[in-house]
Structure formats: C-alpha cells, structure tokens
C-alpha cells in the first residue's frame, strides 16, 4: 500500500485542530499519523481482513458479512472513480498526444461525439 507522508507537523499537544478537544493525547498522535495517509487503500485492505475474520469466526452472521462486503465494494468503487476535472485533464492529454504524435505521423484519427480531432 502506497503511503504519502505529510510534512512534519507541530507536536500533538500544541495542535488545536477541530477535533483536538474530543481526543486524548494518544488519539491526537494517531490522528496526526492518520493525516499522513493518502487514499483509501489501507482502509480497503483492513476491511477485507476483517471480513475474512468475520466469515471464519461468525459464519452465521451473513447479514453483517454482506454489510461489510458492501462497504468494501463502495470503497473500491470510490477508489477507482475519477473526478470530472480529472476526466477533462485526461481527455486534454490524450488529445495533445494525438495531435502532436499521431497526426504528424500520418495516422488517421477520428473522435466521436464532442471531439475536436478530424483527420
């Protein structure tokens, strides 16, 4: 699981974030550590481990197993969704590559509905 760590922050005791009053010192340190995690891969992996344990330890708790499996499915779906801004950026990058590489090579290109390339 890829983790990107945030820049070092002030000690937890000096931090006055929104949740700081609701957390004890140990929890504040854990919160600070958690803010360095980017993405949801760790959460997906953790829930998969918990689902396996639940299936092994409580095979009759099918409804709970399904709830957990659905939670995993939602996280996986979220993990692979890209924003409309990312879609625009990707489309622009692909268009640029096609215009700068394929067209000069004489490769015929046609883009579907809403496209701008015609060759």
């Amino acid at each position: 699981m890829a983790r990107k760590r945030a820049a070092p922050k002030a000690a937890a005791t000096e931090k006055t974030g929104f949740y700081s009053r609701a957390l004890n010192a140990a929890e504040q340190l854990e919160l600070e550590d958690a803010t360095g995690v980017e993405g949801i891969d760790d959460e997906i992996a953790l829930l998969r481990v918990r689902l396996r344990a639940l299936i092994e330890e409580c095979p009759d708790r099918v409804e709970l197993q399904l709830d957990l499996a659905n939670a995993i499915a939602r996280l996986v779906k979220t993990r692979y969704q890209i924003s409309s801004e990312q879609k625009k950026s990707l489309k622009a990058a692909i268009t640029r590559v096609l215009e700068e590489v394929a067209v000069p090579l004489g490769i015929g290109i046609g883009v579907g509905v809403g496209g701008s390339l015609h060759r």
Side-chain angles (χ1 to χ4, degrees), residues 5-24:
R5 290 287 173 188
K9 299 177 182 175
T13 55
E14 299 171 14
K15 199 170 182 178
T16 58
F18 182 76
Y19 295 107
S20 63
R21 286 178 279 153
L23 303 174
N24 65 36

Side-chain angles (χ1 to χ4, degrees), residues 90-101:
L90 180 59
K91 182 178 177 183
I94 291 170
T95 300
R96 211 170 26 259
V97 167
L98 292 174
E99 289 173 343
E100 294 174 5
V101 177

Side-chain angles (χ1 to χ4, degrees), residues 62-94:
V62 176
E63 188 173 321
L64 184 56
Q65 294 167 16
L66 288 174
D67 287 346
L68 188 49
N70 283 326
I72 293 168
R74 286 190 307 273
L75 284 175
V76 169
K77 180 181 176 187
T78 300
R79 166 72 172 82
Y80 290 103
Q81 284 180 335
I82 61 173
S83 71
S84 61
E85 187 60 37
Q86 290 170 319
K87 287 179 188 176
K88 289 177 189 175
S89 177
L90 180 59
K91 182 178 177 183
I94 291 170

